[in-house]
Amino acid sequence: MFSTHPRPSPLEVPRPVTLLVVNPDTKVRQLVEKAIPEHPRPKMFLTLSDNFASAPATPPPDVVLINLKSETQCDFTQLSKVWLRWPGTQVIFLSPFEDIHLWAEAVQLGAYDFLPKSVDPDQLQWVLQGALLRRRVEANRTSSRAARNWGSI
């Protein structure tokens, strides 16, 4: 496991959490269902391809979980596609490869994390909570900046 994120404390989620799972297979769907607490279960948007245009535009996903199925998918172009459509969304990759170099590249390019498909559901839950926390912090920072800029007009 390559994740370096500390275990976050449980979050009080003020609204339903949106999670987009890209290229989900049966194993990934089961892993995500085990990692997400039953109550309150976030709303999940699922798509079966990397065509993000088929996913609902609103509400924007808080976290996009991308299931990589082959080494040829590890070019990480999905990051820019996600951020063009939903700025600030956190991206986590699930990969059949436990490769420290791929993990480093993904994180350097801005992904929240890069996890092997063999990840434990509890670890995935911690990573999802951390990604949600980062999403909330960045959203608060952006709204604070906008409020300061509005006040200076």
Side-chain angles (χ1 to χ4, degrees):
M1 179 89 51
F2 302 123
S3 180
T4 58
H5 301 290
R7 182 178 183 166
S9 58
L11 298 176
E12 294 297 322
V13 182
R15 62 175 179 76
V17 173
T18 57
L19 173 64
L20 172 64
V21 181
V22 179
N23 293 327
D25 55 26
T26 303
K27 183 176 181 178
V28 169
R29 285 178 197 238
Q30 290 171 347
L31 176 67
V32 170
E33 287 173 3
K34 287 179 185 173
I36 298 172
E38 285 295 321
H39 183 73
R41 182 168 287 221
K43 189 168 188 178
M44 292 176 56
F45 296 111
L46 302 177
T47 185
L48 299 175
S49 72
D50 65 352
N51 182 359
F52 297 105
S54 66
T58 56
D62 296 297
V63 178
V64 173
L65 186 67
I66 300 175
N67 178 31
L68 299 174
K69 293 184 176 183
S70 69
E71 284 191 61
T72 58
Q73 284 188 308
C74 293
D75 62 1
F76 302 117
T77 57
Q78 294 104 334
L79 282 169
S80 59
K81 290 178 185 178
V82 170
W83 292 331
L84 281 173
R85 182 140 188 216
W86 302 295
T89 295
Q90 299 301 306
V91 178
I92 298 169
F93 287 98
L94 276 178
S95 172
F97 317 104
E98 294 193 35
D99 184 334
I100 189 87
H101 301 292
L102 290 175
W103 172 81
E105 183 180 359
V107 172
Q108 285 174 348
L109 290 171
Y112 183 78
D113 214 332
F114 183 93
L115 302 170
K117 270 192 196 178
S118 61
V119 67
D120 179 76
D122 289 337
Q123 179 68 24
L124 178 58
Q125 183 180 21
W126 300 335
V127 171
L128 285 170
Q129 287 176 344
L132 290 168
L133 180 61
R134 180 185 287 176
R135 170 82 163 139
R136 188 170 305 138
V137 167
E138 288 178 3
N140 288 342
R141 191 178 306 145
T142 301
S143 63
S144 294
R145 256 188 238 123
R148 281 195 307 268
N149 291 341
W150 178 256
S152 64
I153 295 178

